[in-house]
Amino acid sequence: YAMLPLIQEEVTTKGWIPLEDLINFIAVSESTPGPFAINMATYIGYEQAGFLGALLATIGVVLPSFIIILLVAAVIKNLLKYPAIKTFIAGMRPALGGLILSVAVTMALTVFFGIDTVKTTAISFDWRSVIILAVLIAIPPIWNKFKKKEFSSILLVIISGMLGIVLYGI
């Protein structure tokens, strides 16, 4: 999730996909297996250059992280004994939280009000999105109260999709 602001900036400024499609892709990607960045790289790579583009884009996203994780894993035990490293890692947590929050706010403004850039002058409220959100927020506590067990997140995804079809049409 911390990569979302970077991904959003790259794919929208380069014109690979519009912001609205990115938001839709995030929603679909959350219901499919695998990390978001890999799904996104594979999809955009395929859209831009077919199978080879999908393969190279996926490798391009996976390989740097894989190499960095291998290096960090090799030296992490030695590094964590230094207070400066612990402080650095602790300082990164709020920054990553802020990045994730910025994407959430951007997505909410786009989905609920149609604001996709700072220059947007016409604001249109999307009541259908609010209805879907309200239903998804209301179902789990009501379910828990009567059934005394946790509501399945898979069912929330299915209900969300069904509400989308009903409210937005196919």
Side-chain angles (χ1 to χ4, degrees), residues 98-154:
L99 286 172
I100 294 168
L101 181 62
S102 74
V103 171
V105 169
T106 301
M107 288 174 58
L109 289 173
T110 302
V111 169
F112 295 122
F113 300 108
I115 300 172
D116 57 356
T117 65
V118 177
K119 299 174 187 171
T120 301
T121 55
I123 297 174
S124 60
F125 184 74
D126 187 0
W127 59 269
R128 296 172 290 196
S129 296
V130 174
I131 290 172
I132 293 171
L133 178 64
V135 169
L136 295 177
I137 289 173
I139 288 175
I142 293 170
W143 178 269
N144 291 345
K145 182 176 181 177
F146 292 110
K147 292 290 187 177
K148 305 289 188 230
K149 63 180 184 177
E150 185 120 359
F151 192 77
S152 170
S153 57
I154 294 171

Side-chain angles (χ1 to χ4, degrees), residues 25-67:
F25 187 85
I26 292 169
V28 171
S29 180
E30 288 302 309
S31 61
T32 59
F36 170 76
I38 295 172
N39 291 344
M40 190 66 158
T42 306
Y43 172 75
I44 291 177
Y46 184 80
E47 286 292 313
Q48 297 295 312
F51 176 78
L52 184 60
L55 180 65
L56 293 175
T58 302
I59 290 170
V61 167
V62 172
L63 195 58
S65 299
F66 180 73
I67 291 170

